[in-house]
Amino acid sequence: NQENSWFCKTKVGKAHGFDTEEIHLPSSTTTEQLLSVVYSLGDKDGIQLMWPLPGQIESQKVYQAIPVSKDIDGAHYIGQKELVGSKHANKSDDILPPVTPASVLALLHEHRVQLANKHVLVVGRSRIVGSPLAHMLREQDAVVTVVHSGTDSSLIQQIAGSADLIISCAGETDLLPAKWMKPGADVVIVGTTFDPNHDRLVSDVKGDLASVASRYTPVPGGVGPLSMPFLLRNTAKAAWNRMA
């Protein structure tokens, strides 16, 4: 129900002074057709490409078509950070951070979760969540391990059993049993899947988290509500940079 969801971007954007336009395309859209739409958005301050994209879309080509200055979802984040480098740290302030990872870091900071020298397990390696999140955590001196859909389940179980903090970004129902986790670990659940049979979001984690974790985020209502404010902040920053 979009009327009661933080994912209703047009409604939330309007309430905060943002002119937000959603462009809906059929699932049969080709790469060339999607690129044509992206190229037509030259007058916009920010562009967010919703994912996952249909299988026939060449996602790499489409993401690269989004100008860095309008990349409010942070798809170019890692590449831009590497280009800037540590010698030009002052320029890194102009880089738009990926929305969901920034939300996760803000949540961890607010609850004073220690990251330096802590073993953090990131489940998922997507371009705009898992990969940049791992990068941002390493910048906080965390010891980060990334597992993904190609990782054997026995290895995931072994690593989960030693992680101080687990952040699951896979979007795969019941991927990570709570019983695999280290007792007292902190758990952040980013990945969710919509269950149409029960009209609800289902997390990546299976089992009773409360019996294992020290702290954990609920589903829904954990990281999700933070993503929209960070998206609007990136949009405002992009607009400001455009006018500077």
Side-chain angles (χ1 to χ4, degrees):
N1 184 351
Q2 287 195 343
E3 291 301 313
N4 297 315
S5 172
W6 53 82
F7 294 110
C8 185
K9 295 185 175 68
T10 53
K11 182 178 179 180
V12 176
K14 183 178 180 180
H16 292 85
F18 290 79
D19 183 11
T20 307
E21 177 186 2
E22 290 188 350
I23 300 174
H24 298 275
L25 301 174
S27 59
S28 59
T29 298
T30 65
T31 299
E32 289 69 28
Q33 290 170 331
L34 182 52
L35 285 171
S36 179
V37 172
V38 172
Y39 293 145
S40 71
L41 302 176
D43 62 332
K44 307 299 182 185
D45 291 311
I47 300 171
Q48 181 187 36
L49 182 65
M50 299 304 293
W51 60 278
L53 296 170
Q56 76 275 9
I57 298 291
E58 297 176 65
S59 59
Q60 184 78 4
K61 183 179 292 187
V62 178
Y63 275 116
Q64 288 178 344
I66 299 175
V68 172
S69 61
K70 300 178 188 293
D71 177 26
I72 57 173
D73 217 14
H76 296 290
Y77 176 79
I78 293 180
Q80 287 299 298
K81 291 285 283 188
E82 290 175 346
L83 282 174
V84 170
S86 58
K87 293 182 180 180
H88 304 283
N90 60 315
K91 293 184 179 180
S92 66
D93 292 338
D94 294 331
I95 300 173
L96 299 176
V99 170
T100 302
S103 301
V104 171
L105 265 292
L107 183 68
L108 295 173
H109 177 75
E110 178 67 22
H111 290 275
R112 300 181 181 180
V113 177
Q114 296 298 314
L115 296 174
N117 298 311
K118 296 296 183 179
H119 181 198
V120 182
L121 171 61
V122 175
V123 184
R125 56 178 173 179
S126 70
R127 181 184 185 125
I128 59 175
V129 183
S131 293
L133 177 57
H135 184 94
M136 295 166 81
L137 289 165
R138 291 187 186 103
E139 289 187 322
Q140 299 295 315
D141 295 326
V143 179
V144 182
T145 302
V146 178
V147 298
H148 44 75
S149 58
T151 307
D152 187 82
S153 60
S154 62
L155 183 55
I156 296 177
Q157 180 178 0
Q158 177 184 339
I159 298 170
S162 65
D164 302 300
L165 169 64
I166 297 175
I167 307 175
S168 187
C169 323
E172 186 175 334
T173 305
D174 295 341
L175 173 67
L176 193 63
K179 64 182 181 180
W180 289 358
M181 300 176 184
K182 173 183 175 180
D186 290 318
V187 181
V188 177
I189 304 171
V190 178
T192 58
T193 306
F194 182 70
D195 180 358
N197 296 322
H198 298 90
D199 191 31
R200 65 188 180 99
L201 289 176
V202 181
S203 84
D204 290 348
V205 177
K206 177 182 179 181
D208 184 12
L209 258 180
S211 66
V212 180
S214 172
R215 293 172 289 187
Y216 64 94
T217 57
V219 174
V223 176
L226 293 173
S227 63
M228 190 63 191
F230 276 90
L231 183 68
L232 295 181
R233 188 175 75 169
N234 276 357
T235 304
K237 188 175 182 179
W240 177 267
N241 291 342
R242 185 182 180 193
M243 298 300 292

